């Protein structure tokens, strides 16, 4: 049975419409965007089956089984609830919501509808995440001692809803991988805001901080730190992940496209203080082989994929679509529907990741007060 899906929001969502169009589990693909010219262009270029004149028209379309929301952050809560209440499965870009009540509403809508919800967190499907996950599974890190995530980005010139957004409201890229790798949920946070931001940016959300840095406590006893910036920080774009173990550590990275460093203890006798360590960068492999053949090309992007030499182009092409994550997310969402199971980043996992960021902002506004993360 084929799954019919509509993609809403084509500025970023156009990249996903292309993948859905090629996925073997998909039948009809529909698209909607508030920019009719963009919608028409994508519909023609991708041979899209349906276009819509409004979001509400999708909700009323009985042919559509699932909706992927790639829309502005302030719309995520209302649109996700509307999709679920319409009896359709919902995937949504991050964050899940920008309030704890919004997360509650979504979890309640999932339960009432019996449909799937997936938060489409890119960093948990990257080359880097797969690599460190495999290292942990093989026991190569030993005991995980500490974790660190980071995400630096300047949002000047982006749409108005970004202006002054609390950094930890969009902290999922820094927080999510730590939650996924910890095998636990975040239960507690304290966070400090830092720096000074232009006064006009305070108005929309009441947030005075260009940077927020938080320390999280997990239910299994692990600790993790995350730092997030959105404005007025002279820093190259970076999504970073650092996992420190008793046998080895994984550190990614100064620049977003840098290869990670792997540091290990050398098995040699030392007369001095401490153990000898060795650190080397490791080129990330492409995990396209765990995807259906029809969508493997999207781990590197169409412009880097050579159909005459696919093995070479997949092995050498890097960096497209948030480090190859886009087709993995699409595949997981569709297979969860086809197999009648929860997706990995469901409303519970997505809710904990998102709530940790919301509570981190609450802590920063309260001068670093310790905040308990609600259970969803």
């Amino acid at each position: 049975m084929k799954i019919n899906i509509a993609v809403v929001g084509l500025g970023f969502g156009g990249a996903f419409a292309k993948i859905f169009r090629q996925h073997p589990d998909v039948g009809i693909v529909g698209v909607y965007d508030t920019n009719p010219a963009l919608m028409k262009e994508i519909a023609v270029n991708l041979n899209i089956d349906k276009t819509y004149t409004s979001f509400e028209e999708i909700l009323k379309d009985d042919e559509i089984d699932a909706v992927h929301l790639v829309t502005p952050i302030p719309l995520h809560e209302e649109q996700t609830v509307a999709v679920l209440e319409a009896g359709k499965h919902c995937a949504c870009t991050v964050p899940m919501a920008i309030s704890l009540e919004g997360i509650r509403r979504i979890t309640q809508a999932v339960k009432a509808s019996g449909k799937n919800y997936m938060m489409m967190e890119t960093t948990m499907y990257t080359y880097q995440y797969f690599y460190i996950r495999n290292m942990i599974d093989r026991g190569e890190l030993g005991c995980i001692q500490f974790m660190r995530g980071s995400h630096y980005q300047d949002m000047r010139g982006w749409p108005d809803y970004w202006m002054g957004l609390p950094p930890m409201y969009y902290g999922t890229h820094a927080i999510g991988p730590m939650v996924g790798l910890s095998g636990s949920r975040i239960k507690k946070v304290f966070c400090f805001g830092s720096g000074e931001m232009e006064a006009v940016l305070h108005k929309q959300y009441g947030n005075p901080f260009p940077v927020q840095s938080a320390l999280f406590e997990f239910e299994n006893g692990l600790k993790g730190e995350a730092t997030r910036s959105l404005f007025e920080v002279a820093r190259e774009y970076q999504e970073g992940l650092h996992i420190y173990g008793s046998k080895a550590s994984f550190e990614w990275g100064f620049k977003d496209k840098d290869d990670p460093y792997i540091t290990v203890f050398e098995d040699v006798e030392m007369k001095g203080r401490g153990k000898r360590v060795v650190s080397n960068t490791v080129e990330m492999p492409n995990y396209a082989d765990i995807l259906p053949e029809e969508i493997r090309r999207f781990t590197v992007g169409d412009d880097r994929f050579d159909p005459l030499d696919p093995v070479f182009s997949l092995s050498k092409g890097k960096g497209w679509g948030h480090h190859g994550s886009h087709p993995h997310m699409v595949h997981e969402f569709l297979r969860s529907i086809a197999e009648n199971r929860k997706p990995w980043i469901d409303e519970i996992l997505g809710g904990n990741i998102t709530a940790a960021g919301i509570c981190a902002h609450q802590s920063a506004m309260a001068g670093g007060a310790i905040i308990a993360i609600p259970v969803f």
Side-chain angles (χ1 to χ4, degrees), residues 140-155:
E140 294 174 8
L141 264 67
C143 177
I144 296 177
Q145 309 289 26
F146 188 70
M147 300 177 291
R148 177 178 293 123
S150 57
H151 185 189
Y152 302 98
Q153 186 173 14
D154 186 78
M155 306 306 295

Side-chain angles (χ1 to χ4, degrees), residues 148-155 173-174 210-213 225-231 233-240 242 253-254 256:
R148 177 178 293 123
S150 57
H151 185 189
Y152 302 98
Q153 186 173 14
D154 186 78
M155 306 306 295
H173 292 345
V211 182
Q212 291 177 327
S213 190
E225 172 201 336
T227 298
R228 182 71 170 97
S229 70
L230 284 170
F231 296 96
V233 176
R235 178 63 163 83
E236 183 165 336
Y237 181 92
Q238 180 236 23
E239 297 172 19
H242 302 71
F254 181 75
D256 191 57

Side-chain angles (χ1 to χ4, degrees), residues 166-240:
M168 283 295 174
Y169 274 16
Y170 193 72
T172 63
H173 292 345
I175 299 168
M178 294 192 296
V179 180
L181 295 170
S182 72
S184 184
R185 66 176 292 277
I186 295 175
K187 72 172 185 177
K188 196 181 297 183
V189 61
F190 70 86
C191 178
F192 290 107
S194 183
E196 297 181 4
M197 193 164 61
E198 188 179 355
V200 68
L201 292 174
H202 300 192
K203 295 180 180 179
Q204 185 165 202
Y205 298 98
N207 166 54
F209 303 120
V211 182
Q212 291 177 327
S213 190
L215 190 64
F216 301 98
E217 181 179 355
F218 293 77
E219 282 190 340
N220 65 1
L222 270 172
K223 308 297 188 297
E225 172 201 336
T227 298
R228 182 71 170 97
S229 70
L230 284 170
F231 296 96
E232 299 185 26
V233 176
R235 178 63 163 83
E236 183 165 336
Y237 181 92
Q238 180 236 23
E239 297 172 19

Side-chain angles (χ1 to χ4, degrees), residues 130-141 181:
F130 286 136
Y131 193 91
I132 185 60
R133 175 76 267 171
N134 288 340
M135 286 186 70
I136 292 170
D137 290 345
R138 292 191 298 264
E140 294 174 8
L141 264 67
L181 295 170

Side-chain angles (χ1 to χ4, degrees), residues 316-367:
K316 296 301 179 183
K318 297 289 189 297
W320 188 87
H322 290 89
H323 305 279
S325 64
H326 293 178
H328 290 283
M329 293 190 297
V330 166
H331 184 59
E332 170 63 9
F333 179 55
L334 293 170
R335 291 313 301 164
S336 74
I337 297 169
E339 296 167 8
N340 193 28
R341 60 169 175 83
K342 289 276 193 181
W344 177 41
I345 311 177
D346 62 3
E347 72 281 4
I348 297 171
L349 179 55
N352 184 242
I353 294 166
T354 303
I358 293 170
C359 291
H361 175 64
Q362 291 177 355
S363 173
M365 296 300 288

Side-chain angles (χ1 to χ4, degrees), residues 73-82 84-85 90 92 95-111 117 119 169 347-348 350-352 354-355 358 362 374-376:
I73 289 172
L75 301 180
H76 290 180
E77 174 189 340
E78 293 297 335
Q79 289 185 335
T80 298
V81 171
L84 293 166
E85 289 182 343
C90 184
C92 184
M96 188 172 174
I98 55 174
S99 71
L100 298 178
E101 180 56 31
I103 299 172
R104 289 190 187 97
R105 287 189 65 208
I106 292 170
T107 56
Q108 289 167 358
V110 171
K111 185 176 181 179
Y117 167 84
M119 187 176 81
Y169 274 16
E347 72 281 4
I348 297 171
N352 184 242
T354 303
I358 293 170
Q362 291 177 355
V375 176
F376 299 99

Side-chain angles (χ1 to χ4, degrees), residues 160-309:
D160 287 345
Y161 67 85
W162 286 101
M163 298 304 105
L165 185 77
M168 283 295 174
Y169 274 16
Y170 193 72
T172 63
H173 292 345
I175 299 168
M178 294 192 296
V179 180
L181 295 170
S182 72
S184 184
R185 66 176 292 277
I186 295 175
K187 72 172 185 177
K188 196 181 297 183
V189 61
F190 70 86
C191 178
F192 290 107
S194 183
E196 297 181 4
M197 193 164 61
E198 188 179 355
V200 68
L201 292 174
H202 300 192
K203 295 180 180 179
Q204 185 165 202
Y205 298 98
N207 166 54
F209 303 120
V211 182
Q212 291 177 327
S213 190
L215 190 64
F216 301 98
E217 181 179 355
F218 293 77
E219 282 190 340
N220 65 1
L222 270 172
K223 308 297 188 297
E225 172 201 336
T227 298
R228 182 71 170 97
S229 70
L230 284 170
F231 296 96
E232 299 185 26
V233 176
R235 178 63 163 83
E236 183 165 336
Y237 181 92
Q238 180 236 23
E239 297 172 19
L241 174 61
H242 302 71
I243 308 294
Y244 300 99
S246 59
K247 295 180 179 178
S249 295
F250 174 97
E251 297 178 280
W252 172 60
F254 181 75
K255 294 182 180 180
D256 191 57
K257 293 185 179 180
D258 287 348
D259 288 324
Y261 276 87
I262 308 294
T263 301
V264 298
F265 281 127
E266 284 193 319
D267 188 19
V268 296
E269 290 293 330
M270 291 284 290
K271 294 181 180 180
R273 297 174 179 177
K275 291 184 178 180
R276 183 184 295 170
V277 296
V278 59
S279 297
N280 290 297
T281 57
V282 178
E283 183 178 356
M284 293 293 94
N286 190 326
Y287 293 88
D289 59 329
I290 62 177
L291 293 167
E293 187 173 353
E294 295 90 335
I295 64 169
R296 291 175 184 175
R297 65 188 300 149
F298 297 111
T299 61
V300 296
D302 282 351
D303 60 333
R304 300 182 185 185
F305 181 78
D306 181 359
L308 299 179
D309 196 353

